[in-house]
Amino acid sequence: MRKTLLLLILAVSLPLHAIGFGYHVLEVRTEADLASGILPSSVVYQFDFPVPDLLSPSLTGLSFRLDNGLEYRTLMQNPDNGEHYALHPVSYPRTYTVLFDHFSLFFKQGFFHQVFTSKDLVTAKAAIEGRFESAFERLGWLSGGGEMEGLFWTADHTERFLSSSFIGAPELSGNRMMLDTSIALTLEIDYMRKKETERDGVLFSSSFRYSPPFMPLSDKKCDFLTLESCLSLSYTPFAWKRSNGFCNLSLVFDLDISERMAIGKAVPAYALSSSIWGTKAPNSSQLLSLHAALTLYGPQLASEDFHPSVSFFVDYALAFGHELNSSDGRGVLESVSSYGFEAEYSLFGIGTVFYRIGCVFDPCYNEDAYAAQSYGVSLAI
Amino acid sequence: MKKALALLLVLYALFQLPASSLYFETGITGVSSGPLGFGMGLFPLGTSFEYYRHLSMIPSLDKARLNLSVSFSFTEKEIDKYDAVTGKPWWSGEPVNEWKTGNGQYFKAASSFDLYLGQGFGRSINGKDPLTEIRLGFHTAFQNAKESLTLSQSASSFQPLFVDGSGNAAYPFDGTLLYGTPWLMGSRDAWNSYMYIKSIWNFRKSTGAGDAYDGAYAEATCYYGPRWLFNQGMGVPVSDFAKLEAIAEEYITIFTSKQKNGWNWTNLFLGHYNELSYIFGDTVPPEMLNLDHLRGSFIDRLYIRFVGPQFIASDCFTYIELGFTNRLLFGNAMNDSSASYKALEYRSAFDGIFHMRLFGFIRIEYRFEYSMANGLEAIKPHWSQDASLRFYVSL
């Protein structure tokens, strides 16, 4: 039945009048433990079906987006009882690996085309989404150094989590595979003019995701609802340009404020990602996040998208409401934050070489502050 | 880190070439399936994609193409049937340690990066493609071997391949030099790189959908992966080889008919394919190893392909192909420390393909084969089949 439904989704995703496809590689990610973080470990790509614009000049779109690969994840709560590890520290490693596939078939319609941004002021989007995950031990497990301790397996190779409920990590129950499907609705108000080295305007988006256990294809491990809203403000107070329009130097200020509400008996980890650099806020029903950055763009050389930039950024998140995936659901009021510098070099729009260094304040459940750094190459087009 | 810097330097140097277009285009060239049991076999896991741009290098010639391909995949693989330490082949007739515990499987994560610059010369008979093209390329590949994913699924099946019961590296994966499978030494993180020069000759013209041609096509390639090209690890090279390869293919149209809009109704053509290759060197990376690890290979294939009508869209069609393949493998065994085993074997098979392409996006393929001569394998003639579904976008 599941195979039939999946094939049906595939078939529905093929409009009969399609002559050719547009497609994009939206993002390519790396993992430090795989190929020294140089070659890709996951990729997001999208196929655009050629559909006519129903309200021209506003855009109409029908697309199929697929995100697949491998990623590392850290277990935040004890799967057996939902206790936060930050409150109840353990000695065993909490990192594990996830192979995943995330698909999204979505329709979007724009309204009120704007000359200022060359985009639609309002865009509404409706999607059917699904995510398959398979979790296993970290890649370094059993690498030959005598270390037998895993997350799911103890040193003497007995299963660590024997509970059949897996309240703290519903996606890891049973054979540690998950197939979750959901419907997602998004409303976006875009009054932001974006160029490579300049941004001015306001962007607001609000996304609703509903994943009840009765969704088709779902393996019923997850049951949740999220509502996430984000307001972005950008302003370019200074831009020094050459005669050919290329930038010599520009300064951009960005401020993002977002709020996420999550309700449900079993909320999977993928639905609770947070954008705080260097750390993660505890799982809670409400999360308020703030990201502020001041970016100095250097000269555009051979191309518009070949330039350096340096940013100073501050991230802050406040988790409140009540604990998710927990048997007692007690109240939460915890905050995390980080600040630092980021240096990037954009390579012709296909990639970015970056280095970030900063300090993380993780007072969440009284943990100490620490310094962190990261570097690598990210690819996108 | 050195490799990252080297790659960036290569990229930076190439980007300094005069460019007529400063933007890359991209194409997804294939999406592979994941390890066994992943997503009921329906979800893909692993992708290859490419970026390219055109450069005017010589004004009187066609623009050159700078092509960057990147790929990654995750699979479950069975350990080779060869002696990991000495590389002694399984067909040697002597005892071979297979180093196999449990089901002998391991998890293989692999990525690769390929960059080439191609310059065309002259004009082919189709009036569009160059008569000949020279490509200069660099390829680097990474693979990492970890214990099988099935290992952690059940306590009763805990039989690791690379470590012993106490988590220490098991012989011969404990630092022993592995001439047979150098990519499984030490941390089992293996990089190998090679350069190549390829010459393509194009005397064919398209007669319709389904790669139907009339004329001839040929290419000759030299691959070179010496130890000094980032191929040194654990004191021995993980790659030190050269490969010469020549391919020729000829096509004769039997009949073809078109729809009013120029699309294909039917097309029947006869094809003939030859491939000759030989591999030199002490250490050959896994993606270059021939069947049965023999250095020389000659393939002769005769086939007939019937392409059906294009329907709904230009990239929706089916074809059926029947072929007869003969293969000769010869020479010494590769990755064999004694360099004393050699063989000559003959394989032949009759095969058929049913191929359906939908919107240039989905390819469904069913293959069957009747193997008549099976070379060094002591098995009787037999039928086999497989089917695949792939996402694919070509430009």
Side-chain angles (χ1 to χ4, degrees):
Chain A
M1 184 62 184
R2 283 182 181 178
K3 283 192 179 185
T4 310
L5 279 168
L6 279 169
L7 288 172
L8 193 63
I9 286 173
L10 209 57
V12 168
S13 70
L14 298 172
L16 294 183
H17 61 277
I19 304 299
F21 286 85
Y23 45 89
H24 317 273
V25 176
L26 298 173
E27 188 180 2
V28 182
R29 308 185 200 93
T30 60
E31 280 292 345
D33 275 10
L34 193 74
S36 308
I38 297 171
L39 293 175
S41 57
S42 64
V43 63
V44 188
Y45 46 97
Q46 177 175 307
F47 299 93
D48 295 330
F49 301 103
V51 292
D53 293 329
L54 301 175
L55 302 170
S56 187
S58 293
L59 296 175
T60 303
L62 178 65
S63 302
F64 183 70
R65 185 176 292 183
L66 195 60
D67 179 1
N68 70 12
L70 170 151
E71 68 178 15
Y72 264 25
R73 202 178 276 168
T74 301
L75 193 61
M76 303 291 284
Q77 289 169 267
N78 188 317
D80 283 340
N81 52 27
E83 283 180 352
H84 280 262
Y85 284 118
L87 273 174
H88 304 275
V90 289
S91 59
Y92 52 80
R94 292 192 283 127
T95 309
Y96 63 103
T97 314
V98 178
L99 289 172
F100 69 92
D101 246 305
H102 191 122
F103 70 85
S104 173
L105 178 64
F106 63 88
F107 174 82
K108 66 177 181 182
Q109 176 61 55
F111 305 92
F112 313 120
H113 193 75
Q114 298 291 302
V115 177
F116 173 68
T117 60
S118 303
K119 290 182 284 189
D120 294 321
L121 179 66
V122 178
T123 301
K125 189 167 117 178
I128 299 171
E129 299 200 359
R131 187 175 178 98
F132 180 83
E133 284 187 4
S134 176
F136 58 100
E137 297 286 358
R138 67 192 186 280
L139 289 178
W141 187 54
L142 298 184
S143 56
E147 174 63 61
M148 290 286 282
E149 191 95 72
L151 169 59
F152 305 118
W153 298 91
T154 62
D156 59 357
H157 205 69
T158 55
E159 233 171 325
R160 189 180 304 283
F161 307 113
L162 299 171
S163 166
S164 58
S165 72
F166 274 81
I167 189 169
E171 70 276 13
L172 298 179
S173 61
N175 58 3
R176 294 190 284 281
M177 290 188 188
M178 173 199 83
L179 177 54
D180 179 53
T181 50
S182 57
I183 50 174
L185 305 171
T186 303
L187 183 73
E188 191 175 276
I189 300 171
D190 187 349
Y191 198 69
M192 176 85 75
R193 183 166 59 186
K194 271 189 176 178
K195 292 181 182 173
E196 275 291 319
T197 56
E198 293 171 50
R199 288 180 293 280
D200 288 285
V202 183
L203 175 70
F204 173 78
S205 72
S206 189
S207 301
F208 168 80
R209 180 190 297 277
Y210 183 45
S211 174
F214 55 78
M215 276 291 288
L217 301 171
S218 170
D219 60 11
K220 301 177 175 46
K221 287 183 178 178
C222 303
D223 181 6
F224 69 99
L225 176 158
T226 58
L227 178 64
E228 189 164 1
S229 301
C230 182
L231 177 70
S232 300
L233 306 165
S234 292
Y235 175 57
T236 306
F238 168 75
W240 171 29
K241 292 183 180 179
R242 297 201 294 278
S243 56
N244 63 1
F246 280 15
C247 169
N248 273 334
L249 208 61
S250 69
L251 188 68
V252 179
F253 176 69
D254 297 298
L255 177 66
D256 303 328
I257 304 165
S258 61
E259 211 283 332
R260 185 191 66 214
M261 178 182 74
I263 301 170
K265 292 177 189 168
V267 191
Y270 86 87
L272 294 171
S273 60
S274 77
S275 57
I276 304 301
W277 180 76
T279 185
K280 192 174 185 298
N283 293 342
S284 62
S285 59
Q286 305 281 345
L287 180 73
L288 180 68
S289 310
L290 182 145
H291 169 81
L294 194 63
T295 306
L296 188 67
Y297 287 97
Q300 290 171 315
L301 297 175
S303 156
E304 278 187 5
D305 47 14
F306 192 73
H307 57 79
S309 64
V310 181
S311 292
F312 172 71
F313 65 87
V314 178
D315 283 350
Y316 175 80
L318 177 68
F320 60 103
H322 60 84
E323 283 181 344
L324 294 170
N325 300 341
S326 167
S327 51
D328 52 10
R330 62 181 197 144
V332 178
L333 185 63
E334 299 287 344
S335 66
V336 292
S337 65
S338 59
Y339 71 88
F341 288 92
E342 176 182 76
E344 285 191 354
Y345 209 106
S346 173
L347 300 168
F348 294 104
I350 67 164
T352 304
V353 184
F354 65 87
Y355 176 75
R356 298 182 190 111
I357 187 163
C359 191
V360 178
F361 290 92
D362 198 353
C364 171
Y365 301 121
N366 300 317
E367 288 181 321
D368 294 330
Y370 53 91
Q373 64 171 349
S374 62
Y375 58 85
V377 180
S378 67
L379 292 171
I381 194 162
Chain B
M1 195 62 195
K2 281 182 186 171
K3 291 185 181 72
L5 286 171
L7 284 177
L8 288 172
L9 274 173
V10 170
L11 279 174
Y12 182 78
L14 285 164
F15 287 138
Q16 300 313 301
L17 293 167
S20 57
S21 163
L22 290 172
Y23 294 94
F24 277 81
E25 290 188 64
T26 182
I28 296 154
T29 53
V31 181
S32 68
S33 58
L36 287 176
F38 184 83
M40 298 172 287
L42 284 172
F43 288 88
L45 191 56
T47 304
S48 53
F49 48 96
E50 64 183 21
Y51 301 100
Y52 69 85
R53 66 191 289 192
H54 289 107
L55 313 162
S56 274
M57 295 182 62
I58 304 170
S60 58
L61 298 176
D62 288 347
K63 286 177 181 171
R65 176 174 169 128
L66 179 64
N67 197 94
L68 168 66
S69 304
V70 187
S71 71
F72 69 93
S73 66
F74 306 103
T75 51
E76 284 275 312
K77 194 175 183 324
E78 193 163 341
I79 193 155
D80 291 329
K81 295 184 290 182
Y82 301 83
D83 191 299
V85 179
T86 64
K88 186 193 295 179
W90 63 270
W91 43 261
S92 64
E94 299 168 21
V96 170
N97 292 312
E98 294 182 19
W99 317 113
K100 183 173 177 177
T101 57
N103 58 12
Q105 285 192 336
Y106 62 89
F107 176 71
K108 177 182 161 185
S111 292
S112 72
F113 165 99
D114 187 283
L115 182 74
Y116 75 76
L117 181 67
Q119 174 65 61
F121 300 91
R123 187 66 58 214
S124 173
I125 56 170
N126 62 23
K128 191 175 66 175
D129 297 322
L131 177 65
T132 182
E133 182 185 341
I134 305 291
R135 290 182 182 173
L136 293 172
F138 174 76
H139 181 99
T140 189
F142 167 82
Q143 80 160 51
N144 171 258
K146 297 291 181 190
E147 294 291 349
S148 168
L149 299 193
T150 59
L151 187 72
S152 62
Q153 283 179 347
S154 142
S156 60
S157 65
F158 185 75
Q159 286 183 293
L161 184 66
F162 301 118
V163 299
D164 58 23
S166 58
N168 293 310
Y171 181 79
F173 307 105
D174 55 355
T176 303
L177 296 182
L178 303 180
Y179 288 97
T181 53
W183 50 91
L184 295 182
M185 284 193 300
S187 63
R188 302 185 294 280
D189 281 348
W191 289 87
N192 76 76
S193 304
Y194 59 80
M195 304 175 284
Y196 60 92
I197 180 166
K198 184 187 287 280
S199 161
I200 296 171
W201 295 82
N202 197 340
F203 306 99
R204 67 186 181 186
K205 59 183 176 185
S206 173
T207 56
D211 298 327
Y213 296 106
D214 200 51
Y217 172 89
E219 63 178 56
T221 312
C222 174
Y223 303 90
Y224 183 45
R227 62 176 66 194
W228 49 262
L229 193 68
F230 315 121
N231 285 325
Q232 194 80 11
M234 295 288 292
V236 293
V238 290
S239 176
D240 188 11
F241 80 103
K243 178 181 180 181
L244 297 175
E245 181 185 81
I247 291 172
E249 194 163 15
E250 305 89 40
Y251 321 85
I252 298 171
T253 302
I254 297 173
F255 66 78
T256 180
S257 61
K258 301 278 187 192
Q259 301 177 44
K260 282 180 184 171
N261 60 0
W263 285 2
N264 203 57
W265 261 126
T266 57
N267 193 321
L268 184 71
F269 71 98
L270 190 67
H272 178 236
Y273 174 88
N274 282 131
E275 180 186 313
L276 176 66
S277 68
Y278 197 84
I279 300 170
F280 305 87
D282 293 334
T283 312
V284 182
E287 68 269 27
M288 283 288 173
L289 286 169
N290 276 334
L291 195 65
D292 295 327
H293 287 197
L294 291 171
R295 290 184 183 274
S297 168
F298 175 73
I299 299 171
D300 181 82
R301 176 173 162 79
L302 189 66
Y303 63 93
I304 187 162
R305 183 182 295 181
F306 175 79
V307 187
Q310 286 164 283
F311 58 98
I312 305 174
S314 62
D315 44 13
C316 292
F317 57 85
T318 60
Y319 70 73
I320 296 169
E321 180 178 307
L322 296 174
F324 179 59
T325 306
N326 290 286
R327 185 167 191 185
L328 204 61
L329 291 140
F330 55 91
N332 283 79
M334 292 179 276
N335 295 355
D336 166 30
S337 60
S338 69
S340 59
Y341 297 97
K342 59 178 71 175
L344 171 69
E345 67 170 312
Y346 169 68
R347 290 172 177 264
S348 74
F350 167 73
D351 57 68
I353 301 169
F354 171 76
H355 181 103
M356 176 182 276
R357 200 173 300 189
L358 297 172
F359 307 102
F361 172 24
I362 296 171
R363 293 183 182 189
I364 298 166
E365 198 162 273
Y366 170 77
R367 289 171 175 266
F368 67 87
E369 184 179 275
Y370 182 69
S371 303
M372 289 173 281
N374 295 293
L376 296 166
E377 291 179 273
I379 49 177
K380 292 178 180 174
H382 62 279
W383 289 95
S384 60
Q385 61 175 348
D386 69 71
S388 64
L389 167 67
R390 285 172 68 86
F391 296 93
Y392 200 103
V393 174
S394 56
L395 294 166

